[in-house]
Coordinates of all heavy atoms in Angstrom, one line a residue:
R81 N -5.7 -4.1 -15.6 CA -5.0 -3.4 -14.5 C -4.7 -1.9 -14.9 O -4.9 -1.0 -14.1 CB -3.8 -4.1 -14.1 CG -3.1 -3.5 -12.9 CD -1.8 -4.3 -12.6 NE -1.2 -3.8 -11.4 CZ -0.5 -2.6 -11.3 NH1 -0.3 -1.9 -12.4 NH2 0.0 -2.2 -10.2
E82 N -4.2 -1.8 -16.1 CA -3.8 -0.4 -16.5 C -5.1 0.4 -16.7 O -5.1 1.6 -16.4 CB -3.1 -0.5 -17.8 CG -2.6 0.9 -18.4 CD -1.7 1.6 -17.4 OE1 -1.0 1.0 -16.5 OE2 -1.6 2.9 -17.5
E83 N -6.2 -0.2 -17.1 CA -7.5 0.6 -17.2 C -7.9 1.0 -15.8 O -8.3 2.2 -15.7 CB -8.5 -0.3 -17.8 CG -9.9 0.4 -18.1 CD -10.9 -0.6 -18.7 OE1 -11.2 -1.6 -18.1 OE2 -11.4 -0.2 -19.8
I84 N -7.8 0.2 -14.8 CA -8.2 0.6 -13.4 C -7.3 1.7 -13.0 O -7.8 2.7 -12.4 CB -8.1 -0.6 -12.5 CG1 -9.1 -1.7 -12.8 CG2 -8.2 -0.2 -11.0 CD1 -8.9 -3.0 -12.0
R85 N -6.0 1.5 -13.2 CA -5.1 2.5 -12.7 C -5.3 3.9 -13.3 O -5.4 4.9 -12.6 CB -3.6 2.1 -13.0 CG -2.6 2.9 -12.3 CD -1.2 2.4 -12.6 NE -0.2 3.1 -11.8 CZ 0.3 4.3 -12.0 NH1 -0.1 5.0 -13.0 NH2 1.2 4.8 -11.1
Q86 N -5.5 3.9 -14.6 CA -5.8 5.2 -15.3 C -7.1 5.8 -14.9 O -7.2 7.0 -14.7 CB -5.8 5.0 -16.8 CG -4.4 4.8 -17.4 CD -3.4 5.9 -17.0 OE1 -3.8 7.1 -17.1 NE2 -2.2 5.6 -16.6
T87 N -8.1 5.0 -14.6 CA -9.4 5.5 -14.2 C -9.3 6.2 -12.9 O -9.8 7.3 -12.7 CB -10.4 4.3 -14.0 OG1 -10.7 3.7 -15.3 CG2 -11.7 4.8 -13.4
W88 N -8.6 5.6 -11.9 CA -8.4 6.2 -10.6 C -7.5 7.5 -10.7 O -7.8 8.5 -10.0 CB -7.9 5.2 -9.6 CG -9.0 4.4 -9.0 CD1 -9.6 3.3 -9.7 CD2 -9.6 4.5 -7.8 NE1 -10.5 2.8 -8.8 CE2 -10.6 3.5 -7.7 CE3 -9.4 5.3 -6.7 CZ2 -11.4 3.3 -6.5 CZ3 -10.2 5.2 -5.5 CH2 -11.1 4.2 -5.5
M89 N -6.5 7.4 -11.5 CA -5.6 8.6 -11.7 C -6.4 9.7 -12.3 O -6.2 10.9 -11.9 CB -4.4 8.3 -12.5 CG -3.4 7.4 -11.8 SD -2.6 8.4 -10.5 CE -1.3 7.2 -9.9
N90 N -7.4 9.4 -13.2 CA -8.2 10.5 -13.7 C -9.0 11.2 -12.7 O -9.3 12.4 -12.7 CB -9.1 9.9 -14.8 CG -8.3 9.6 -16.1 OD1 -7.2 10.0 -16.3 ND2 -8.9 8.7 -16.9
Y91 N -9.5 10.4 -11.7 CA -10.3 11.0 -10.6 C -9.4 11.8 -9.6 O -9.8 12.8 -9.1 CB -11.0 9.9 -9.8 CG -12.3 9.4 -10.5 CD1 -12.3 8.2 -11.2 CD2 -13.5 10.1 -10.5 CE1 -13.4 7.7 -11.8 CE2 -14.6 9.7 -11.1 CZ -14.6 8.4 -11.8 OH -15.7 8.0 -12.4
M92 N -8.2 11.2 -9.3 CA -7.4 11.7 -8.2 C -6.4 12.8 -8.7 O -5.8 13.5 -7.8 CB -6.6 10.6 -7.5 CG -7.5 9.5 -6.9 SD -6.5 8.3 -5.9 CE -5.4 7.7 -7.1

Side-chain angles (χ1 to χ4, degrees):
R81 184 184 184 279
E82 184 59 24
E83 184 179 60
I84 294 171
R85 191 179 192 280
Q86 287 303 316
T87 296
W88 278 77
M89 285 294 184
N90 289 341
Y91 282 104
M92 300 188 303

